[in-house]
Amino acid sequence: ALRRGIVLRRHRPGHVAMYCKLFSTDGGDTIQYHWVDHTFAMKNFADQRQRYTKEVDFAHPIPWEQMSQHEPRTGKKGSFRTADIIVVHPARHPDPRSEEGDHGSTSLRRSKSDYFEERTFTLVCRSRAIGSLEEYEGRWYKNEGNESQFRYLDFEAATEGV
């Protein structure tokens, strides 16, 4: 799925959620994301629905190679190493770093857009590749360490199971 890419909504603190496409060109060692416009997202959602739920759909996805003509003007993009992912935290689970027992991550809760807990998750990554993943995982779950040690990438899928 990552070689072909998958369209999700990316939530960020203090911002409205934007559509982005996650993909990998190196077999999944690094995952890139690139903002996409509404038209591109809707056409790719239709393709994803057909691929993953086997529903018949007549929409055709836009090939990745043609994406440049559908990029938003800001052209925002980024990447992260899968080796830096500490935990995949579903939004329906309590945040171990929240003293109030809130669900989802602190960054997700500060998004200006609503989201469906059942289809939303956070990739919690270490912000620097110093120390073991187990060490960072322990800090995150025990609410230890500074928030700057973690990088939060909040995503919402169009359907469950994607």
Side-chain angles (χ1 to χ4, degrees):
L2 281 177
R3 186 177 68 205
R4 187 172 186 164
I6 188 164
V7 175
L8 304 167
R9 281 197 339 157
R10 167 99 194 272
H11 291 268
R12 296 181 302 147
H15 295 276
V16 173
M18 302 267 306
Y19 295 111
C20 69
K21 187 162 190 170
L22 267 65
F23 62 99
S24 179
T25 58
D26 62 6
D29 291 337
T30 305
I31 299 176
Q32 295 90 29
Y33 55 90
H34 201 285
W35 303 120
V36 296
D37 68 17
H38 181 78
T39 302
F40 179 88
M42 293 304 112
K43 288 184 179 185
N44 276 267
F45 284 153
D47 176 56
Q48 288 170 197
R49 224 179 5 260
Q50 184 175 4
R51 275 188 283 144
Y52 297 115
T53 62
K54 307 300 181 204
E55 292 177 11
V56 176
D57 202 317
F58 296 102
H60 299 286
I62 299 170
W64 179 251
E65 295 77 27
Q66 297 175 15
M67 185 178 157
S68 60
Q69 63 188 336
H70 298 281
E71 295 172 6
R73 293 182 192 259
T74 57
K76 292 186 178 183
K77 55 187 172 182
S79 66
F80 57 93
R81 293 177 344 123
T82 54
D84 289 333
I85 298 173
I86 299 166
V87 65
V88 177
H89 183 71
R92 66 181 177 270
H93 291 183
D95 181 357
R97 299 184 68 81
S98 168
E99 295 179 8
E100 292 81 28
D102 295 318
H103 286 206
S105 68
T106 183
S107 64
L108 177 61
R109 293 191 302 272
R110 294 190 337 236
S111 171
K112 287 190 173 182
S113 296
D114 292 330
Y115 54 89
F116 290 98
E117 280 190 354
E118 298 79 25
R119 301 188 317 237
T120 306
F121 61 95
T122 300
L123 297 177
V124 181
C125 302
R126 57 185 174 180
S127 61
R128 295 181 303 260
I130 300 171
S132 71
L133 283 179
E134 292 81 17
E135 187 179 326
Y136 277 89
E137 184 179 12
R139 284 185 205 151
W140 190 74
Y141 276 115
K142 293 176 186 172
N143 195 10
E144 296 175 351
N146 190 306
E147 282 298 313
S148 66
Q149 295 176 328
F150 307 100
R151 179 177 176 202
Y152 297 93
L153 299 161
D154 304 303
F155 297 105
E156 179 179 6
T159 61
E160 289 185 54
V162 173

